[in-house]
């Protein structure tokens, strides 16, 4: 193989690795909250990827072509994303509980603002939450 074709192959391999790493890091970030900025998502990722510099996380997030992904970084991301497919983790359950608490606060605020207007919507939301709890087999999330 010629030197040029080896370089092209190496560049294509690094581009594929970078795209995979960018995809994995975005999966690791999850959907986030409505209105959450990319900056706050990157900060959240920095807390999970303790041995990564914030600038490195940002470069991989945006798939900066100047970045070369190391094999151990790719393996770390794969390992962190992999378990998410197998079920809810403790972090996800904690996040779900905080979301439920937040929804309860919103419900009470809406009822205080105008119970007659928002009452049917709050009631429907409570019914849906109850159905979700029964599907999960839990009395309370």
């Amino acid at each position: 193989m010629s030197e040029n074709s080896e370089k092209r192959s190496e560049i294509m391999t690094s581009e594929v690795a970078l795209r995979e790493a960018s995809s994995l890091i975005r999966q690791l970030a999850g959907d986030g909250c409505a209105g959450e900025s990319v900056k706050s998502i990157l900060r959240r990722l920095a807390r999970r990827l303790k041995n990564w510099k914030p600038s490195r996380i940002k470069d991989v997030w945006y798939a900066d072509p100047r970045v070369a992904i190391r094999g151990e970084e790719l393996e770390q991301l794969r390992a962190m994303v992999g378990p998410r497919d197998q079920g809810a983790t403790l972090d996800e359950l904690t996040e779900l509980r905080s979301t439920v608490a937040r929804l309860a606060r919103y419900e009470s605020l809406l009822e205080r603002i105008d119970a007659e207007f928002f009452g049917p919507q709050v009631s429907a939301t409570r019914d849906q939450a109850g159905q979700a709890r029964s599907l999960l087999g839990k009395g309370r999330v």
Side-chain angles (χ1 to χ4, degrees), residues 3 15 31 36 40 42 52 54 65 72 80 115 131-132 135 140-141:
E3 188 176 319
E15 287 174 6
D31 293 333
E36 185 178 23
S40 65
L42 294 175
W52 289 48
E72 60 269 8
M80 291 178 82
Q131 290 172 356
L135 289 173
R140 189 169 179 192
V141 177

Side-chain angles (χ1 to χ4, degrees), residues 60-129:
V60 172
W61 175 271
Y62 288 111
D64 187 334
R66 297 173 290 182
V67 174
I69 296 296
R70 294 183 294 272
E72 60 269 8
E73 291 173 328
L74 201 51
E75 289 303 315
Q76 178 188 11
L77 291 173
R78 287 176 183 155
M80 291 178 82
V81 171
R84 288 180 64 102
D85 297 336
Q86 296 172 1
T89 64
L90 184 59
D91 290 339
E92 290 172 322
L93 290 174
T94 303
E95 186 177 329
L96 178 62
R97 285 188 181 108
S98 69
T99 301
V100 169
R102 198 174 324 123
L103 286 173
R105 285 194 309 268
Y106 293 152
E107 287 175 355
S108 68
L109 285 172
L110 289 174
E111 285 181 333
R112 276 190 246 151
I113 292 170
D114 190 348
E116 189 176 315
F117 181 77
F118 292 112
Q121 293 165 335
V122 170
S123 177
T125 303
R126 285 184 183 146
D127 290 343
Q128 290 174 348

Side-chain angles (χ1 to χ4, degrees), residues 6-19:
E6 285 179 16
K7 282 185 181 180
R8 273 196 303 262
S9 175
E10 188 176 304
I11 290 170
M12 288 186 351
T13 303
S14 66
E15 287 174 6
V16 170
L18 180 59
R19 279 196 303 257

